[in-house]
Amino acid sequence: MKNTIDHSTAAATFNKDVERVNWHDETLWFVRSKRDKSAHAIPEWEALRDTASKIKNNVLSNMHHYLQEFEAKAKENGIIVHWAADGAEHNKIVHSIIAKHGVTQMVKSKSMLTEECHLNEYLADNGVQVIDSDLGEFIVQLRQEPPSHIVLPAIHLKKEDVSDTFNEHLGTEKGNNDPQYLTEAARKELRDTFLTRKVALTGVNFAVAETGEFVVCTNEGNADMGAHLADVHIACMGFEKLVPERKHLGVFLRLLARSATGQPITTFSSHFKKPRKGQEMHIVIVDNGRSTQLGREEFRNSLKCIRCGACMNTCPVYRRSGGHSYHNAVAGPIGSILAPNLDMKKNADLPFASTLCGSCTNVCPVKIDIHDQLYKWRQVLVKEGYTPTSKTIAMKGMSAVLANPTVFKIAGKAGRFVMKNMPFMVNNNLNAWYKQREMPAPPEESFREWYARKAKESKDKK
Amino acid sequence: MSSRDSILSKIKSNQPVSVNELPGLSFLGLDKIDVLETYKTVLKGIGGFCEEVSSLEEVKAYVETKYPEAKRKITTIPELAVIAETNWDAHDPHTLQDVELAIIKAHFGVAENSALWVTDAILGQRVSPFIPQYLAIIVNKKDIVATMQQAYERIGNSDYGFGTFIAGPSKTADIEQSLVLGAHGARGLTVFLME
Ligand code: SF4
C-alpha cells in the first residue's frame, strides 16, 4: 500500500481544480436533493427511520444469537458458511474456494467489504484475475483507482475521463463522451465476462437470521448475471448485515434506495436462499474489527449502517474533498467513524474531517448519531495521543485561550487585528479551516467590546 | 479456538448486556393510496412501460407487433408457446444468452415502488429475467399491494430458493449521473397489467 496522505493535504490537492470541485459538490448535492424529494413523498418516513433504528438496536444487542441462528438456517438451506476473523483470513478463504475449483478468473459485484479487505490485490498476487462488474467499479478498476463513494464509485470522474479510459482499454472511439455509448461498450465487454466466469462473488446488503437467506441490491443486474451463470457463488458479509426476520426487510428496502439515490427501490432486490441445482454457494461472515467496535459503547451504533451513502452526499466536507481524501474503503462521515476503529494512528485525521454540522445525522436512515460519534472520536484520539499535528497545535492554543479570560480578551483583539491587517497570517497550514474559504470580514468590535461600550454609554447617560 | 468460536465469544462479551426490544411493524404502510394508479405512475417514473390487457391473446398480439419475429423469445407461460419457446428451463443457463425477449409472470406487484415479486417457481431459470435484452412480466391487477409492508406480509414464510423484486429495466447512472437504461440486465421492461 502507498503511504497515506492525510485528509487535509489530500483535500487541498483536490481543491486546486476549482471548477471540478464545484462540479463534484453540485453533483452530490443533486443526489442529496433527490433523496429529499423521495423521502418527503413518504408520509411515514420518520416512523420508518425510527423503526429501522430500533430493529438494528435489537440486532446489535442480540448479535450472538442471531448469527448462530443465521448460520444454522443457511447450512440447512445447503449453503457453506465460513467465518473470518480479519481481512487476511477472509482473503484466504475466498482464494481457497477459487483454487479448489481450479480457476484463475472471477467476476465480482459491488462489495465494500472486499475493498476493506483488499481482496483484489491479494488475489492478483495469487494469480487470480478479478473483474469488477458494477459499471462504476469497472471504470475505477481500469484506472487502478479505488472507488471514491460506496454507492457511486466513479462519482469523482467526468465523462471525458471515462471516455479516455475506455478508449485506452476497450478501444472505444476517441472523444466520444456519450454516457449511453460508453455504457453500451462496457455492457458488451462485461457480458462476455459473465458468460465465461465459473466463480462469482457478490456482497450482501441484508442477511436474515430467521431464514438464512441474504439479499443483494443492484440497479444494473450485475450481481445476478454473475451469480446465476456461475458454478460457484461466494457472498461476503460483515456480520452486522443481519436483520432478525424476513418481514424486517420491508422496512430497510423502503429506506435504502430512497436514501441512496432517491429511487423508490433498486431495480433488483434479490433474495438468495438456496443454491440453484448443481451450484455451490458460500457465505463468508467477516469480523475484521466489528466485534471490537461492538464493544465500544460510544461507537457501536456505527454498526447499524446500511451503506446508503446519504451521509456522504450531504456532507459539506466530503462534497468538497472527494472520497479519495479519506484513504479508507468507506469514505465520508460514516467512514470516519469506522476507520479509527481499525487503525487509530493511520486514521486519526478522519474524525476531524467534519464541520460537525449534523447534516449526516439528519439524513441517516437508521438514525446513527454520526456527528456526535465524530466528536467523541476526537476526544478519544486526543487522549490516546493520536491527534494530527495541525489540529493539536490549534486545539492546544484554543484550550489555553479558553481557560484564561485575559488571554481570551487579548487573543480576540489580536485576532481581529491580524485578520484585518495581515490575513495571510491566518492562511497558513496550521489553520486548515481557512483553506478554500473566504474568511468573513472581521467585526469592528467584538461582543465584549460592544457590551463594555454600551454599559459605559448607559452609565454615562445616567 | 476456531475463528467462528472466537468471533462469537468476542461478540457475546462485547454486545450490550440487555436485549433491546424489537419494534412492531403493524402500524406501517397504512396510508390510503390508489394502488393501481400509483403503480402505473411509479413504473413510468423508473423507465418501465405499462400495458393493460384482459387476456393472453392481447399479450400475444402486442408481442407480435412490437418484437421482431426472427429474434429468440422465451416464456414460462404454456399459452404463449406459439410466439415463444417454452422448454428451456432445464438447459444450461448460458444457452439463454441470445434471447431477445423473455415473457414471465410475477406473483404480485408493489405500488409504492412498482416492484414485481418473482421466485424460482415461476422463473424457469434464475437468470431468465436478467439475461434477455428485453423483459415482459404479466401480473394480475388484483395482485398489486400498496407497500413493501404488505409485500412481506404476502410472502410470509413461503419457501423459495431464490426470489427477487424487479422494478423497471436495469439501469446505471455511474457516468456523471446520466441515467442509461440497460446496464447488464434487460434494456426495457413491459408490465402487462391483467384484468
Ligand atoms: S451512516 Fe447512515 S447515512 Fe451514512 S451510509 Fe450508513 S446508513 Fe447511510
Side-chain angles (χ1 to χ4, degrees), chain B residues 39-134:
Chain B
Y39 184 89
K40 288 194 267 183
T41 315
V42 177
L43 179 65
K44 210 170 140 210
I46 59 171
F49 294 104
C50 178
E51 284 299 321
E52 297 186 51
V53 293
S54 48
S55 70
L56 285 173
E57 284 306 311
E58 282 180 47
V59 174
K60 233 187 269 175
Y62 181 91
V63 170
E64 276 173 337
T65 50
K66 296 275 176 175
Y67 295 90
E69 208 192 317
K71 298 223 168 145
R72 188 173 177 202
K73 301 180 201 71
I74 57 169
T75 186
T76 50
I77 304 156
E79 291 90 330
L80 298 180
V82 270
I83 55 160
E85 274 171 58
T86 45
N87 290 312
W88 44 271
D89 48 323
H91 297 174
D92 174 346
H94 294 84
T95 59
L96 301 178
Q97 58 161 305
D98 59 346
V99 170
E100 178 76 2
L101 174 73
I103 313 160
I104 58 173
K105 268 187 180 167
H107 296 290
F108 64 86
V110 186
E112 68 163 330
N113 53 25
S114 86
L116 296 162
W117 176 245
V118 293
T119 62
D120 275 343
I122 50 173
L123 281 175
Q125 296 245 9
R126 289 184 186 181
V127 84
S128 72
F130 302 96
I131 204 167
Q133 299 295 329
Y134 294 90

Side-chain angles (χ1 to χ4, degrees), chain A residues 41-343:
Chain A
I42 306 290
E44 58 187 0
W45 184 254
E46 288 307 315
L48 276 173
R49 286 179 73 211
D50 202 51
T51 309
S53 171
K54 285 182 178 145
I55 296 170
K56 282 286 183 181
N57 282 340
N58 168 270
V59 172
L60 294 187
S61 67
N62 205 11
M63 190 67 84
H64 183 252
H65 165 77
Y66 287 141
L67 271 172
Q68 292 176 83
E69 185 184 5
F70 175 72
E71 179 194 37
K73 289 287 173 193
K75 281 181 168 170
E76 245 172 63
N77 296 337
I79 301 176
I80 304 160
V81 181
H82 311 258
W83 299 75
D86 53 23
E89 190 174 7
H90 161 267
N91 294 346
K92 242 190 248 152
I93 292 169
V94 172
H95 181 236
S96 73
I97 300 168
I98 300 169
K100 190 183 91 186
H101 289 272
V103 299
T104 53
Q105 293 178 313
M106 177 175 81
V107 65
K108 174 164 135 308
S109 72
K110 197 149 54 190
S111 147
M112 291 320 295
L113 176 67
T114 58
E115 288 292 329
E116 176 187 317
C117 300
H118 305 290
L119 175 70
N120 284 11
E121 290 94 318
Y122 178 87
L123 290 180
D125 289 347
N126 285 281
V128 178
Q129 182 214 32
V130 180
I131 292 183
D132 284 317
S133 59
D134 170 84
L135 179 60
E137 287 206 318
F138 179 65
I139 295 166
V140 294
Q141 190 186 29
L142 288 177
R143 298 170 61 92
Q144 298 185 310
E145 290 175 7
S148 67
H149 188 291
I150 56 176
V151 176
L152 319 160
I155 194 73
H156 60 294
L157 296 172
K158 304 202 86 163
K159 52 183 186 234
E160 293 78 17
D161 305 325
V162 179
S163 172
D164 287 347
T165 304
F166 280 13
N167 170 258
E168 188 189 332
H169 296 275
L170 309 182
T172 56
E173 225 169 80
K174 187 147 190 64
N176 191 335
N177 303 333
D178 178 14
Q180 180 92 42
Y181 168 76
L182 296 169
T183 303
E184 186 64 29
R187 176 182 168 105
K188 288 224 170 76
E189 175 81 16
L190 286 165
R191 224 177 150 77
D192 190 56
T193 306
F194 291 127
L195 287 164
T196 50
R197 294 304 179 273
K198 301 256 180 293
V199 180
L201 187 146
T202 69
V204 169
N205 290 91
F206 306 100
V208 185
E210 173 194 37
T211 58
E213 72 199 290
F214 58 93
V215 177
V216 184
C217 305
T218 72
N219 280 321
E220 300 182 6
N222 56 320
D224 289 277
M225 278 293 274
H228 305 316
L229 289 168
D231 300 337
V232 184
H233 176 185
I234 309 171
C236 301
M237 59 176 265
F239 68 65
E240 80 283 12
K241 297 287 171 195
L242 281 179
V243 300
E245 296 164 45
R246 188 188 268 167
K247 68 178 182 202
H248 295 126
L249 291 171
V251 174
F252 292 101
L253 289 179
R254 294 182 77 188
L255 287 165
L256 178 61
R258 288 186 174 100
S259 299
T261 58
Q263 292 171 257
I265 189 168
T266 49
T267 306
F268 306 106
S269 310
S270 292
H271 300 45
F272 294 87
K273 190 156 176 259
K274 297 171 193 168
R276 72 168 196 275
K277 209 163 159 252
Q279 191 196 34
E280 200 176 288
M281 199 181 271
H282 298 259
I283 292 177
V284 188
I285 301 173
V286 182
D287 181 344
N288 202 34
R290 286 164 177 78
S291 57
T292 308
Q293 190 87 324
L294 187 63
R296 298 185 204 270
E297 209 182 317
E298 293 182 315
F299 304 114
R300 67 163 61 111
N301 269 346
S302 59
L303 295 172
K304 289 156 71 177
C305 176
I306 57 170
R307 302 286 191 271
C308 72
C311 57
M312 297 167 202
N313 305 340
T314 200
C315 177
V317 176
Y318 176 89
R319 280 188 277 125
R320 300 197 67 84
S321 60
H324 290 156
S325 64
Y326 292 80
H327 53 78
N328 187 51
V330 181
I334 183 65
S336 303
I337 300 171
L338 298 171
N341 173 57
L342 288 172
D343 187 338

Side-chain angles (χ1 to χ4, degrees), chain A residues 9-25:
Chain A
T9 311
T13 313
F14 188 75
N15 271 270
K16 284 204 176 112
D17 189 340
V18 176
E19 230 174 273
R20 207 182 172 99
V21 175
N22 288 341
W23 165 79
H24 188 263
D25 182 12

